Amino acid sequence: MDSDDDFNMSSEEEDVLEDSDNDNGSVDDFGFDEPEPDLGYTQKEQVKKEKRTFDTNFKVYHPDDIQAQQDDLIDEVNMILDIRKEDAAILLRHFRWNKERLIEDYMDRPKKVLEDAGLGPSTTGPPKLEVIPGFMCDICCEDEPGLKSFAMKCGHRYCADCYGQYLNQKIKEEGEAARIQCPQDGCKRILDAKSLDLLVTSDLQNRYHELLTRTYVEDKEQMKWCPAPDCQNAIECGIKKKDLDKVVPTVACDCKHRFCFGCALPDHQPAPCELVKKWLKKCADDSETANWISANTKECPKCNSTIEKNGGCNHMTCRKCKHEFCWMCMGLWSEHGTSWYNCNRFEEKSGSEARDAQAKSRVSLERYLHYYNRYANHEQSAKLDKDIFTKTEKKMISLQTASGMSWIEVQYLNSASHALQTCRQTLKWTYAFAFYLARNNLTEMFEDNQKDLEMAVEALSEMFEKPVDELANAKLKVEIMDKTSYCNKRRVILLADTADNLANGVWKWSNNN
Amino acid sequence: MTQKRITKELQEVLATPPPGIKVNLVDESNVHNWNIIMDGPADSPYAGGKFQLLLVLPPEYPFKPPKINFKTRIYHPNVTFDEHGSMCIGILKSEAWKPSSRIPNVLTAIQQLLLEPVPDDALEQATAQKFKEDRKAYDKEAREMTKKYAK
């Protein structure tokens, strides 16, 4: 069944090409008529295998595509329902661009649909600026003769200045576009683009359309803006919110930014969104503090409050529960008699029990710090990777002049730098992932994969840092190329393994965090 | 142009104030700051009280809504029980405010709020809780506070 689907889903262009090849081949070489779809099929099967389990299907849209999509839908509704384009746009926005539902509802009860969308009963002809004798604007209370005024189809008339200022306030100050209503108290008539054009300057019109496009993308569940600064593209992806415990949908915008479609944070494979959120919160609460606490404090043996010793005396009284104990041996102070300032009772029972409890609570902190420090290390290195990238460019240029290699011949450094960045990004999140895993056979395999990738990355990183004259060495070049592809391979293995287990729901999470 | 609108609204309110409401300017030379005295509505635990409010019209009025605060302390789920006397009221939210809305509408909306608190939209959670769970105790407390502060 699967294979049939695959065959049907492949691009038409390929089919045509391959079919004609097959036809020619079978007729000329073998002399019988039956076409051989198998040939094309096997090729496609291979293509399919290359698509890895942790890859997500998505599509990148540029600003022009996004505009065209809206225009197409508006044209369609305009034709099917025979209504003005600007009204079709308002209806579509009201229905969050669900064309089918709009048409269905409109066919059932057009009046109600129009009214709900803010296109209630209309009184006058096409809206235009007019001078009406005896008119007084209800907003500014001006009534001088010759005052230009405007009303949408609802008939609520205000002077052009006030209307314009109202729109300015809504668009510029409040960032509103799709839901701007008539200025009349209680009137729900929605402003259309044509009316807007009559009333405000072109830069405000542009802003209005920008805001509309923004709501178009935000209204669609399968679409998200690329979060990279200055990037205007949007991504379409079919992964739903409820799928996020089974997949980590990393997408890559045409601007090169890789991010998670689920939560819009930078790529965090293999860790699922929920875990990432938990981890980041924990780190924000804990990181520096945890280090300091680990070094400078102990917990009260009775109530577990964390206590910093800021004076010289070992006689501690817990502020919270008033428990008195000795800072040195953690034992009851009452057992210390008069041996002030100097504890030599390390072997006392109450002391050693308290120290055991202390150790237990420390273990969880230290476990966290183990993972956090490795996570932070890769994050730091990933930041340095930005420098590495620019350094690489310079290196590649100086390598060209030093060794006489061509631009193409030094591209391996670019690939290496790229591999380092993506692998470190992955490694970083493996540590957050591992922190939440319960220990079992799967975890061991995961840690082996993690270790392999980490060793490969560190080795590549070291080679990559070599001075230019050594990099020109042909042997090192081959080594770097090999290590680069090895790193990429190890990353794929690790991600495929974690993604499969995630999809099958077989990871066990530890519950004491 | 806002000056003309404000002057007209002020004249109207001074000539025919909404029932139970008195308006005067804080400073005669500034039409943007209005002093409001609101009677506690009969049929409410605020009856008999006189509440002072300060209404400030921003320079962008009427394109931006006015700001209004209780200067007299009032025990009410939707008004903060402090020196600010801030309140949460639908008509003053920027998405609901229309330039054609008028100040008397705002004032009657506040009177209405005194008659019918909206505990689900509360600024004072404890007061809202009491209003929902023990209406009698709430009424009693509100009456006492009215006596204490709103004389």
Side-chain angles (χ1 to χ4, degrees):
Chain A
M1 281 312 288
D2 268 349
S3 37
D4 282 348
D5 284 351
D6 281 340
F7 188 62
N8 292 334
M9 270 160 63
S10 57
S11 83
E12 285 172 29
E13 223 177 310
E14 261 182 329
D15 276 346
V16 173
L17 266 174
E18 281 155 6
D19 282 347
S20 58
D21 278 356
N22 289 346
D23 286 346
N24 290 342
S26 43
V27 173
D28 292 342
D29 301 344
F30 300 106
F32 56 75
D33 280 347
E34 206 178 330
E36 262 184 39
D38 276 349
L39 186 59
Y41 175 85
T42 348
Q43 277 172 359
K44 268 162 219 146
E45 184 67 12
Q46 276 164 356
V47 171
K48 191 202 157 204
K49 264 184 193 150
E50 269 172 36
K51 190 186 140 32
R52 299 161 302 196
T53 38
F54 55 88
D55 281 337
T56 305
N57 286 320
F58 63 92
K59 217 174 156 188
V60 181
Y61 292 106
H62 295 251
D64 291 348
D65 308 330
I66 302 169
Q67 191 56 52
Q69 275 183 20
Q70 297 180 70
D71 293 346
D72 287 351
L73 283 165
I74 291 169
D75 286 350
E76 232 176 294
V77 170
N78 156 256
M79 276 180 0
I80 297 173
L81 299 184
D82 191 25
I83 48 177
R84 299 192 311 163
K85 278 194 185 181
E86 52 272 29
D87 293 348
I90 288 170
L91 281 176
L92 275 164
R93 270 174 223 126
H94 181 68
F95 279 86
R96 299 190 161 237
W97 299 91
N98 187 336
K99 185 188 71 192
E100 287 74 25
R101 203 161 64 81
L102 158 61
I103 291 171
E104 205 171 291
D105 280 20
Y106 188 86
M107 296 298 188
D108 280 355
R109 19 182 198 171
K111 247 191 177 163
K112 173 137 197 335
V113 167
L114 285 173
E115 199 158 309
D116 289 352
L119 295 168
S122 43
T123 52
T124 46
K128 57 176 187 284
L129 284 173
E130 280 179 276
V131 176
I132 289 180
F135 168 79
M136 189 194 80
C137 172
D138 220 17
I139 295 177
C140 62
C141 302
E142 290 292 345
D143 55 359
E144 61 190 54
L147 190 65
K148 273 193 183 161
S149 66
F150 179 84
M152 287 193 291
K153 287 197 158 192
C154 53
H156 301 119
R157 183 163 290 280
Y158 298 98
C159 82
D161 275 356
C162 281
Y163 228 119
Q165 199 169 333
Y166 169 65
L167 297 178
N168 190 62
Q169 164 74 22
K170 285 286 161 193
I171 297 168
K172 258 212 179 113
E173 304 288 322
E174 293 171 27
E176 186 56 79
R179 278 171 286 272
I180 302 179
Q181 296 177 344
C182 160
Q184 171 71 28
D185 199 7
C187 177
K188 301 209 179 314
R189 180 93 198 177
I190 297 286
L191 179 91
D192 59 278
K194 262 209 176 136
S195 299
L196 180 91
D197 291 352
L198 293 173
L199 294 161
V200 299
T201 53
S202 61
D203 62 322
L204 210 60
Q205 291 169 22
N206 292 340
R207 178 75 187 138
Y208 173 80
H209 287 288
E210 258 175 54
L211 289 166
L212 283 185
T213 303
R214 189 183 292 177
T215 41
Y216 171 73
V217 171
E218 281 159 8
D219 273 353
K220 302 204 96 171
E221 209 199 337
Q222 318 93 319
M223 255 182 150
K224 272 204 179 103
W225 291 109
C226 168
D230 296 328
C231 178
Q232 294 189 307
N233 300 337
I235 309 268
E236 185 176 13
C237 172
I239 299 292
K240 301 235 164 42
K241 218 176 178 161
K242 63 173 171 49
D243 304 326
L244 291 177
D245 57 339
K246 295 259 182 280
V247 282
V248 188
T250 296
V251 296
C253 181
D254 289 352
C255 75
K256 299 265 189 291
H257 182 59
R258 289 163 51 78
F259 68 98
C260 169
F261 190 80
C263 63
L265 288 171
D267 171 29
H268 56 67
Q269 279 178 343
C273 296
E274 188 62 24
L275 191 155
V276 168
K277 206 170 119 197
K278 232 161 106 186
W279 174 256
L280 288 176
K281 185 170 181 299
K282 188 171 176 64
C283 293
D285 296 349
D286 288 354
S287 60
E288 288 310 308
T289 328
N291 276 314
W292 186 88
I293 287 172
S294 163
N296 297 289
T297 69
K298 294 181 181 179
E299 280 96 37
C300 165
K302 198 173 168 202
C303 73
N304 270 328
S305 302
T306 305
I307 297 172
E308 175 198 6
K309 183 170 175 300
N310 57 6
C313 177
N314 286 330
H315 179 180
M316 306 301 290
T317 307
C318 173
R319 280 264 176 84
K320 212 163 166 192
C321 70
K322 310 288 174 219
H323 181 67
E324 293 180 55
F325 64 99
C326 166
W327 184 258
M328 292 304 289
C329 70
M330 301 304 285
L332 278 175
W333 186 255
S334 57
E335 292 174 0
H336 276 63
T338 50
S339 54
W340 303 87
Y341 301 113
N342 188 7
C343 173
N344 50 10
R345 300 164 58 85
F346 206 75
E347 298 313 318
E348 219 38 70
K349 191 167 176 277
S350 82
S352 77
E353 275 169 6
R355 284 197 303 277
D356 283 351
Q358 185 90 42
K360 251 185 208 152
S361 93
R362 287 288 136 155
V363 165
S364 86
L365 186 63
E366 264 158 35
R367 178 169 180 276
Y368 165 66
L369 283 174
H370 167 89
Y371 291 107
Y372 176 75
N373 287 333
R374 283 156 185 79
Y375 164 88
N377 174 40
H378 285 295
E379 183 171 63
Q380 187 55 32
S381 307
K383 275 180 193 150
L384 294 175
D385 283 341
K386 273 192 187 142
D387 302 341
I388 291 180
F389 185 74
T390 45
K391 264 196 240 158
T392 311
E393 295 244 300
K394 278 187 202 143
K395 256 186 198 171
M396 278 156 49
I397 291 166
S398 54
L399 191 56
Q400 276 177 280
T401 40
S403 66
M405 280 196 236
S406 74
W407 179 245
I408 300 288
E409 283 173 311
V410 295
Q411 282 307 308
Y412 72 97
L413 278 181
N414 200 8
S415 314
S417 150
H418 190 73
L420 279 176
Q421 286 176 50
T422 39
C423 290
R424 282 207 192 274
Q425 181 79 1
T426 304
L427 273 174
K428 173 177 123 175
W429 286 108
T430 60
Y431 281 106
F433 189 71
F435 176 73
Y436 291 104
L437 281 182
R439 289 215 74 87
N440 57 24
N441 291 344
L442 285 177
T443 351
E444 268 171 40
M445 213 154 85
F446 172 78
E447 282 177 351
D448 284 346
N449 283 334
Q450 185 188 39
K451 198 176 78 196
D452 285 347
L453 178 59
E454 187 155 53
M455 277 165 61
V457 165
E458 294 307 337
L460 178 60
S461 186
E462 206 184 314
M463 292 180 201
F464 189 74
E465 292 289 302
K466 294 254 162 77
V468 172
D469 51 330
E470 283 183 48
L471 282 174
N473 180 317
K475 192 168 157 258
L476 184 60
K477 176 178 170 179
V478 172
E479 276 174 18
I480 289 182
M481 287 166 77
D482 286 351
K483 200 52 105 182
T484 302
S485 78
Y486 183 70
C487 281
N488 287 332
K489 227 177 271 167
R490 293 310 317 177
R491 176 172 169 273
V492 167
I493 290 169
L494 185 145
L495 287 180
D497 182 53
T498 44
D500 286 346
N501 288 336
L502 194 65
N504 299 328
V506 292
W507 289 116
K508 292 276 174 288
W509 307 106
S510 73
N511 41 18
N512 52 358
N513 299 301
Chain B
M1 77 182 194
T2 52
Q3 202 74 9
K4 199 163 179 180
R5 153 88 182 249
I6 295 174
T7 316
K8 188 154 181 270
E9 270 200 84
L10 184 63
Q11 278 167 356
E12 282 172 7
V13 173
L14 289 175
T16 46
I21 285 169
K22 278 199 201 78
V23 175
N24 63 297
L25 289 179
V26 175
D27 165 6
E28 284 303 323
S29 64
N30 182 355
V31 291
H32 284 268
N33 296 339
W34 298 20
N35 197 15
I36 316 276
I37 304 290
M38 185 178 284
D39 294 340
D43 301 334
S44 81
Y46 309 103
K50 289 201 178 304
F51 296 89
Q52 194 199 347
L53 295 101
L54 177 65
L55 179 107
V56 176
L57 304 172
E60 299 88 348
Y61 183 81
F63 300 101
K64 270 192 184 169
K67 290 191 173 70
I68 185 158
N69 296 74
F70 271 90
K71 289 286 128 189
T72 306
R73 291 239 175 163
I74 180 164
Y75 180 81
H76 190 286
N78 305 99
V79 186
T80 59
F81 192 71
D82 56 17
E83 65 275 21
H84 305 296
S86 318
M87 74 188 99
C88 173
I89 181 163
I91 186 173
L92 295 183
K93 293 198 174 123
S94 66
E95 63 269 22
W97 176 258
K98 293 287 188 71
S100 66
S101 312
R102 301 272 157 162
I103 290 168
N105 303 354
V106 176
L107 298 177
T108 41
I110 293 171
Q111 283 176 318
Q112 194 55 37
L113 193 68
L114 296 189
L115 281 167
E116 289 172 29
V118 189
D120 294 333
D121 220 0
L123 289 170
E124 292 286 347
Q125 290 306 332
T127 313
Q129 199 80 10
K130 201 173 253 182
F131 177 80
K132 276 201 278 198
E133 286 164 10
D134 189 350
R135 188 63 185 268
K136 265 196 184 142
Y138 163 84
D139 281 349
K140 185 164 170 274
E141 183 89 25
R143 266 196 302 275
E144 276 167 16
M145 291 296 180
T146 304
K147 249 183 214 157
K148 188 170 169 196
Y149 292 106
K151 274 292 158 194

